[in-house]
Amino acid sequence: QVQLVESGGGLVQPGGSLKLSCKPSGFDAGGHAIAWFRQAPGKEREALSCSSIWEESPPYSEAVKGRFAISRDGVNKTVDLQLDSVIPEDTAVYFCAAGPLRCGQFWNQPARFTSWGQGTQVTVAS
């Protein structure tokens, strides 16, 4: 059974940091692109970054470039998203999703990702 489970969400102060983890199971995550998205209340789902073992430089959305970093943890078999210098606008439910082999040019399109986790809430507030 294909499953992705996010963890690490919570309350963080502006300027703080948080690390989210995505644990895939039931399939070979190494053969798939794994992306992070987020969705704030009343807004569309927004792509943040994407990781593929076949591509060296992960893409990032302009909203998080330079503040967030995606990585694969080979020991824990997770795909992590490090959030630094968070701002209140980062408040959202964060999702990871599994897609095709590569992130590719259209990595920011949710329809390319066929399996999704349930999400983890991140709230940025003082």
Side-chain angles (χ1 to χ4, degrees):
Q1 180 182 359
V2 174
Q3 193 173 15
L4 298 99
V5 178
E6 303 93 340
S7 62
L11 175 64
V12 58
Q13 293 187 344
S17 297
L18 206 61
K19 182 179 178 181
L20 307 181
S21 290
C22 172
K23 179 76 170 179
S25 62
F27 68 103
D28 177 16
H32 292 264
I34 305 291
W36 280 94
F37 292 78
R38 69 184 179 189
Q39 189 164 19
K43 294 190 176 182
E44 293 186 354
R45 192 160 295 191
E46 174 189 15
L48 303 177
S49 187
C50 183
S51 169
S52 166
I53 65 170
W54 304 103
E55 297 159 315
E56 288 190 5
S57 299
Y60 292 92
S61 71
E62 288 300 319
V64 305
K65 189 179 295 184
R67 300 190 299 119
F68 292 8
I70 195 169
S71 62
R72 290 193 181 229
D73 184 331
V75 175
N76 296 309
K77 306 296 184 185
T78 59
V79 179
D80 302 331
L81 187 68
Q82 177 68 38
L83 285 59
D84 294 324
S85 303
V86 297
I87 58 179
E89 290 76 14
D90 293 326
T91 295
V93 178
Y94 285 66
F95 301 88
C96 64
L101 183 65
R102 301 173 184 267
C103 299
Q105 180 181 0
F106 303 105
W107 68 273
N108 59 350
Q109 296 182 4
R112 297 187 75 241
F113 295 86
T114 55
S115 299
W116 292 79
Q118 292 299 307
T120 185
Q121 175 71 44
V122 173
T123 302
V124 182
S126 56

